């Protein structure tokens, strides 16, 4: 291997680490912020003992996870049992490779970015399924079954919602989709695609198995769902994957429907000039943070859906709504209102 | 201009559903109930937090709070207890054991005054029965026993608690004196 190839390899690894490490850090702090936000909504301060106001809480959690014993159930399939956390952890991070943070600030600027992300988020379902199957536990199995059925159902609604974005933008490349939305708050796709945005958001929450669609975990009936039998780092990997997926979904919402790194004050004269110094990355992170807060806010507000209600919502409401709005989007594009 | 038409289209759809909001399905499609739920919880996020940070903060305690028992002394240092054994007689949990003897100066005093903290139910009847205000209940509820046998509160321990809490005990009695 010559030096040029080595340099290229080092550059790629550096790029990956520049995305991976902040995401892992964000995951760690999202767990604490979740407890804080839910605590605040319940009029408690949340974790505030470790470090100043609880800022070292994720470190303490991490040390605890590493220190825990790994337990393998006696009749479980040990290879699949070991593989399952990796299967759900890896795709959650691979999907980040196509997420752009600004023009050119992306690991892999591929043309089928949306498709790639859809494929990767669906692969996460295999981790859940494998975990439920390999655990040889009725709770884990039921949780996995529910998760699989739910993810498959909501995938369809989510994909249809994204088809609307693709029609409007005429591209599957994230950077191009964002750049198509230029022109300020009301040019972003959330306005013309508002019903699709709602469908996308609801199915995205269901895709990540978060409240109020967290029947796969369903602690009140299934103990902890598909990861009952996991302890220590095995459990931690599932946990990290779930939160990484949440952050990914929030970024995708910001990119596809809320103009990514574009400033909301674009084309507003004085306001645009005053806020011109704010970097695009800030806007992207800000929009994603709003969606992450919405995740936690919803979790603190809504009771869990019943399983049959989830299926009904996915198949009988979200898919028809998405299908009904697609012709409207197509018409808007034909009439030149969009894109 | 394009955005104006788009808003018009959305508003038209929204209006149709709004007019149908009496119907269950239209309400669900507009997510009205969900917005209402979210509107309930958001103000709580900004409300002041009511948690009492326990080791640093305490909830207010009534002057009549019945916690750990103690024996008091007079201001001149003489112990109050005259070994009348009224508390021993009234104690419903039989937690008190008293033995008494004549002291050199001819006064009747206890030689043994044991309270079993595990038997004690903190009913306060002993305090009510005491004619000289000797046995009292303090506000201390955070006591622990780490070894077997520590649950027997001897006379020395009880007097020590009484000395440590004397100012607080006296203050509580002062607040409450009209009711006694």
């Amino acid at each position: 291997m010559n030096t040029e190839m080595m340099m290229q390899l080092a550059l790629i690894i550096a790029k990956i680490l520049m995305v991976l490490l902040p995401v892992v850090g964000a995951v760690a702090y999202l767990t604490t912020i979740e407890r804080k936000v839910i605590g605040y909504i319940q009029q408690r301060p949340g974790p505030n003992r470790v470090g100043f106001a609880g800022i070292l809480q994720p470190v303490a959690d991490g040390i605890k996870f590493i220190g825990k014993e790994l337990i393998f159930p006696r009749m479980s399939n040990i290879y699949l049992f070991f593989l399952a956390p990796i299967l759900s952890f890896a795709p959650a991070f691979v999907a980040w490779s196509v997420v752009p943070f600004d023009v050119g600030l992306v690991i892999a600027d591929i043309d089928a970015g949306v498709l790639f992300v859809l494929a990767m988020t669906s692969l996460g379902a295999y981790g859940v399924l494998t975990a439920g199957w390999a655990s040889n536990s009725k709770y884990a199995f039921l949780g996995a079954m529910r998760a699989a059925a739910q993810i498959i159902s909501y995938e369809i609604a989510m994909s249809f919602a994204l088809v609307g974005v693709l029609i409007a933008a005429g591209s599957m490349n994230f950077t191009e989709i964002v750049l198509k939305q230029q022109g300020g708050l009301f040019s972003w796709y959330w306005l013309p695609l508002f019903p699709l945005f709602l469908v996308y958001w609801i199915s995205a929450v269901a895709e990540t198995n978060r409240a109020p669609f967290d029947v796969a975990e369903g602690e009140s009936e299934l103990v902890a769902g598909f990861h009952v039998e996991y302890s220590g780092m095995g459990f931690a990997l599932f946990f990290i994957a779930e939160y990484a997926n949440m952050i990914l979904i929030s970024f995708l919402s910001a990119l596809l429907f809320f103009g990514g790194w574009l400033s909301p004050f674009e084309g507003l004269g004085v306001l645009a000039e005053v806020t011109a110094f704010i970097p695009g990355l800030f806007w992207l992170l800000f929009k994603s943070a709003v969606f992450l807060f919405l995740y936690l806010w919803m979790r603190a507000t809504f009771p869990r859906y019943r399983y049959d209600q989830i299926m009904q919502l996915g198949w009988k409401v979200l898919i028809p709504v998405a299908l009904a709005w697609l012709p409207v989007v197509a018409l808007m594009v034909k009439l030149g209102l969009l894109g | 201009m394009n955005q104006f038409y788009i808003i018009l289209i959305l508003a038209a759809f929204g209006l149709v559903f709004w007019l149908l909001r009496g119907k269950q399905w239209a309400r669900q499609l507009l997510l009205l109930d969900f917005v209402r739920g979210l509107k309930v919880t958001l103000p709580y996020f900004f409300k002041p937090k009511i948690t009492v940070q326990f080791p640093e903060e305490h909830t207010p305690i009534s002057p009549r709070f019945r916690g750990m028992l103690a024996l008091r002394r007079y201001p001149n240092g003489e112990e109050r207890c005259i070994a009348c054994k009224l508390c021993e007689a009234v104690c419903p949990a039989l937690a008190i054991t008293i033995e008494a003897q004549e002291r050199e100066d001819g006064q009747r005093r206890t030689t043994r005054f044991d309270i079993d903290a595990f038997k004690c139910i903190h009913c306060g009847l002993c305090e009510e029965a005491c004619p000289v205000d000797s046995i009292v209940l303090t506000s201390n509820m955070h006591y622990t026993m780490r070894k077997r046998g520590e649950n027997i509160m001897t006379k020395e321990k009880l007097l020590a608690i009484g000395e440590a809490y004397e100012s607080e005990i006296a203050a509580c009695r002062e607040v409450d004196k009209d009711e006694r």
Side-chain angles (χ1 to χ4, degrees), chain A residues 177-243:
Chain A
I177 292 175
V178 172
L179 291 179
K180 278 266 184 179
Q181 301 179 47
Q182 249 156 358
L185 185 59
F186 293 103
S187 313
W188 299 345
Y189 284 159
W190 68 270
L191 187 65
L193 307 182
F194 190 67
L196 291 184
F197 167 66
L198 290 181
V199 168
Y200 168 78
W201 178 250
I202 294 168
S203 31
V205 172
E207 274 272 297
T208 44
N209 285 328
R210 293 291 300 180
F213 304 106
D214 55 346
V215 283
E217 260 176 72
E219 59 276 274
S220 54
E221 63 244 45
L222 292 183
V223 195
F226 63 91
H227 56 51
V228 219
E229 306 292 345
Y230 284 87
S231 60
M233 282 317 280
F235 172 74
L237 286 186
F238 278 122
F239 210 63
I240 294 169
E242 182 180 333
Y243 283 82

Side-chain angles (χ1 to χ4, degrees), chain B residues 84-139:
Chain B
C84 67
K85 299 197 183 182
L86 280 175
C87 51
E88 188 182 20
V90 81
C91 182
L94 304 181
I96 307 178
T97 314
I98 300 174
E99 283 168 12
Q101 243 176 12
E102 192 176 320
R103 211 165 57 178
E104 303 97 70
D105 59 359
Q107 290 190 359
R108 181 184 157 85
R109 294 291 158 183
T110 55
T111 54
R112 181 179 167 206
F113 194 107
D114 289 351
I115 292 170
D116 190 339
F118 287 177
K119 286 184 184 170
C120 178
I121 58 170
H122 304 277
C123 62
L125 287 179
C126 48
E127 182 177 347
E128 278 180 42
C130 190
V132 289
D133 254 1
S134 174
I135 185 161
V136 290
L137 285 90
T138 65
S139 63

Side-chain angles (χ1 to χ4, degrees), chain B residues 3 12 20 33 48 64 70 79 101 129 136 140 144 155 162 173:
Chain B
Q3 286 140 26
L20 287 167
D33 302 329
R64 299 178 188 187
E79 58 188 87
Q101 243 176 12
V136 290
N140 178 17
T144 51
K155 184 179 171 183
R173 242 126 288 262

Side-chain angles (χ1 to χ4, degrees), chain A residues 245-293:
Chain A
N245 273 327
M246 275 169 71
I247 300 175
L248 179 72
I249 291 291
S250 303
F251 267 83
L252 292 186
S253 313
L255 287 168
L256 297 174
F257 292 96
F258 280 80
W261 55 80
L262 301 175
S263 160
F265 303 120
E266 238 176 295
L268 284 178
V270 185
L271 260 176
E273 275 172 38
V274 172
T275 57
F277 69 93
I278 299 173
L281 190 60
F282 168 81
W283 288 117
L284 182 60
L285 294 177
F286 175 75
K287 290 164 190 172
S288 314
V290 170
F291 283 112
L292 283 173
F293 181 77

Side-chain angles (χ1 to χ4, degrees), chain A:
Chain A
M1 204 187 279
N2 57 34
T3 32
E4 202 174 314
M5 278 172 78
M6 289 284 275
M7 283 294 289
Q8 220 155 30
L9 193 70
L11 193 70
I12 291 170
I13 290 174
K15 268 183 176 176
I16 291 171
L17 286 180
M18 268 169 67
V19 173
L20 196 66
L21 294 181
V23 170
V24 171
V27 165
Y29 274 92
L30 182 58
T31 59
T32 301
I33 289 167
E34 170 170 38
R35 290 160 68 185
K36 276 266 178 201
V37 167
I38 291 174
Y40 267 55
I41 287 176
Q42 295 165 355
Q43 288 193 280
R44 347 178 240 111
N48 63 350
R49 290 278 149 180
V50 193
F52 175 73
I55 49 166
L56 292 179
Q57 186 68 39
V59 181
D61 287 342
I63 292 170
K64 191 193 79 177
F65 275 134
I66 293 166
K68 291 263 178 184
E69 183 190 358
L70 283 175
I71 300 166
F72 296 100
R74 200 197 297 161
M75 296 294 281
S76 66
N77 185 330
I78 199 159
Y79 302 107
L80 288 181
F81 192 81
F82 205 77
L83 192 67
I86 302 166
L87 270 182
S88 86
F89 178 81
F93 280 87
V94 172
W96 281 94
S97 57
V98 295
V99 174
F101 296 93
D102 207 331
V103 185
L105 265 184
V106 52
I107 297 177
D109 193 14
I110 59 175
D111 282 336
V114 176
L115 211 56
F116 182 79
V117 164
L118 271 178
M120 281 304 139
T121 48
S122 328
L123 271 184
Y126 283 103
V128 174
L129 259 180
T130 314
W133 176 259
S135 296
N136 193 33
S137 151
K138 49 185 172 289
Y139 300 118
F141 188 65
L142 277 171
M145 288 290 111
R146 288 177 175 193
Q150 184 182 325
I151 290 175
I152 289 167
S153 314
Y154 279 79
E155 195 100 82
I156 303 166
M158 192 174 159
S159 311
F160 271 125
L162 293 187
V163 166
V165 177
L166 302 186
I167 292 175
S171 168
M172 276 199 179
N173 184 305
F174 277 110
T175 312
E176 275 177 40
I177 292 175
V178 172
L179 291 179
K180 278 266 184 179
Q181 301 179 47
Q182 249 156 358
L185 185 59
F186 293 103
S187 313
W188 299 345
Y189 284 159
W190 68 270
L191 187 65
L193 307 182
F194 190 67
L196 291 184
F197 167 66
L198 290 181
V199 168
Y200 168 78
W201 178 250
I202 294 168
S203 31
V205 172
E207 274 272 297
T208 44
N209 285 328
R210 293 291 300 180
F213 304 106
D214 55 346
V215 283
E217 260 176 72
E219 59 276 274
S220 54
E221 63 244 45
L222 292 183
V223 195
F226 63 91
H227 56 51
V228 219
E229 306 292 345
Y230 284 87
S231 60
M233 282 317 280
F235 172 74
L237 286 186
F238 278 122
F239 210 63
I240 294 169
E242 182 180 333
Y243 283 82
N245 273 327
M246 275 169 71
I247 300 175
L248 179 72
I249 291 291
S250 303
F251 267 83
L252 292 186
S253 313
L255 287 168
L256 297 174
F257 292 96
F258 280 80
W261 55 80
L262 301 175
S263 160
F265 303 120
E266 238 176 295
L268 284 178
V270 185
L271 260 176
E273 275 172 38
V274 172
T275 57
F277 69 93
I278 299 173
L281 190 60
F282 168 81
W283 288 117
L284 182 60
L285 294 177
F286 175 75
K287 290 164 190 172
S288 314
V290 170
F291 283 112
L292 283 173
F293 181 77
L294 188 57
Y295 254 117
L296 309 180
W297 185 13
M298 283 169 68
R299 183 177 167 197
T301 305
F302 301 133
R304 185 179 297 129
Y305 262 76
R306 215 169 55 207
Y307 183 64
D308 60 310
Q309 289 172 331
I310 289 183
M311 284 298 143
Q312 185 166 346
L313 180 70
W315 289 100
K316 293 190 185 169
V317 179
L318 295 185
I319 292 176
V321 167
L323 280 177
W325 201 256
L326 280 182
V328 181
V329 176
L331 211 65
M332 283 181 188
V333 173
K334 264 286 176 231
L335 293 175
L337 295 178
L338 254 181

